[in-house]
Structure formats: structure tokens, C-alpha cells
Amino acid sequence: MILAVLLPGGFTFSVYKYLSAPEPNAAAASPTTEPTPGPEEPRPSENERPDSPIDADEYGDWNLRVGGVSFKAEKVGGWTYDSCAPVDRHGVLARNKCERVVQLAYTAYRGHLTAVQVIMSFPTVKAAKATAMQLASSSRAVKWRRDKMLDKYVYAKQRVASTERYVLLTIVTADRTAQAKATRFQHYLHTDRSNSFRDSIASD
């Protein structure tokens, strides 16, 4: 695991990275341990298997039920970009020929937890994998909707992964009320959305 420090300009960036809580008036960051996945991995939610090109309107509220696990989150915003330039801070996406970007914002547990997902599509699987690797070591390479996150939080973490021709960035913040649920919530949200891209390609 990598422990990252929150900079004045915003979040730093890496794979499975934990962020410090904001100053002042913030508690310590969440523990630097990953949850052990249960025996059942989440399957893609219904109606969340994107066709090309991806569009924010394809995604609604997130509702997942698998085994004895269930999660819900309300979609509070969605943005579709016909190019990747609006979110490409350092040119990483342009160098890998990123084609299109969608951002989605969610809230859960009565506003005590917020999540933003950035979905980036690429022309090839190779380009997507290269981008995910580069984002892991390029601080703040992607501009995402920080205005949709909590101002004060004790948990803040982001995950990045590539699946087929897509790269997914999932950011979650939570206050003390939802802190204990945040790691598991993020694990399932990120995995469920990632699986949807794999199944979409397989069904084409």
C-alpha cells in the first residue's frame, strides 16, 4: 500500500492509495489495509453494461445485491465529454489516445459518503493498460469533480484499474458516520463497474 499526503491543490494519485484527511479539523486517515474479498465477487448490475461510445445517461442509481451483500447509492450527477481534454491535466490521456470520458457522482448513507467515478475509453486494450499504469505514478493526472465530494472527511481513497478498453477511477470520501462502511462500499462499487465493461465486450 502507498500512503499519500493531501496537497493544497487536491488529491494525489496512485493505485489503491490512501489519502490523509484535510486540515484543519480532520481526523486521521483510514487504515492502510485492503478488505479481504468475500467468496462471491459482485456481478455487473443490470442495465450497466455500456455500449460504445460511453455516456453518462446510461448510468442511474447504483443498486447491487450479491449473496447477503447489498449496496445502494443515489446518482447526483453525470457528465459526458466527447474528448478527454477536459479531464487530462498532464497529457497522460492524450498520449495514450483516450477517446471519451464519463464522470459519475454518487451519494450514500444519507450523504455521509460520496463517490465519483471517472470512466475513460481507449482504442485498444493495450492503451488502457498503459494508461492505468501511468496514472498510478502520475500525481493528479486526472481532473475529477471534487465539488461532489465531502468537504470534511476521515476516509478518502481512490482506486484505478483497466478492464478491456476502459480505465476506471473510483474516488470515495466518508465522514465518521460512514467510515466503517466506506472500504467495503468502494470495493464493491469499483469491482461491479469494472466487471460491467468485461461483460459488455464479451456480449458484443
Side-chain angles (χ1 to χ4, degrees):
M1 299 298 169
I2 301 173
L3 183 64
V5 178
L6 182 66
L7 301 178
F11 291 98
T12 55
F13 188 95
S14 73
V15 176
Y16 304 122
K17 182 173 55 183
Y18 284 85
L19 310 177
S20 64
E23 298 180 0
N25 301 323
S30 55
T32 57
T33 56
E34 279 293 314
T36 301
E40 294 183 88
E41 287 295 312
R43 296 290 300 163
S45 299
E46 290 299 322
N47 301 320
E48 293 200 353
R49 298 182 179 184
D51 297 323
S52 184
I54 53 175
D55 192 287
D57 290 340
E58 298 174 6
Y59 300 92
D61 295 344
W62 182 57
N63 293 284
L64 177 70
R65 183 177 296 276
V66 52
V69 176
S70 64
F71 293 97
K72 293 183 178 180
E74 178 187 357
K75 181 184 175 184
V76 294
W79 303 266
T80 302
Y81 307 92
D82 292 330
S83 78
C84 301
V87 303
D88 191 2
R89 180 174 279 114
H90 300 312
V92 173
L93 305 185
R95 286 194 295 273
N96 289 297
K97 304 186 185 303
C98 180
E99 298 175 326
R100 191 176 177 93
V101 172
V102 160
Q103 286 202 69
L104 306 168
Y106 293 95
T107 182
Y109 304 119
R110 298 183 179 181
H112 293 286
L113 181 150
T114 59
V116 168
Q117 290 193 304
V118 184
I119 305 168
M120 296 154 272
S121 65
F122 293 83
T124 65
V125 173
K126 181 179 179 180
K129 288 181 178 179
T131 302
M133 292 296 294
Q134 291 171 37
L135 292 184
S137 59
S138 181
S139 176
R140 301 178 67 234
V142 175
K143 293 183 285 187
W144 44 271
R145 297 296 300 254
R146 288 174 172 81
D147 60 314
K148 296 301 180 181
M149 309 304 281
L150 295 177
D151 292 329
K152 296 181 179 180
Y153 53 83
V154 296
Y155 175 100
K157 179 184 173 186
Q158 48 190 359
R159 299 178 69 168
V160 63
S162 66
T163 304
E164 301 296 343
R165 296 183 296 103
Y166 299 94
V167 173
L168 174 66
L169 171 65
T170 302
I171 309 100
V172 168
T173 58
D175 63 17
R176 286 187 180 277
T177 300
Q179 180 182 11
K181 306 172 184 177
T183 298
R184 192 168 172 83
F185 177 97
Q186 185 170 20
H187 167 72
Y188 278 93
L189 175 62
H190 187 80
T191 305
D192 182 41
R193 190 58 43 80
S194 294
N195 285 349
S196 73
F197 306 136
R198 181 179 296 109
D199 279 34
S200 174
I201 297 298
S203 64
D204 286 346

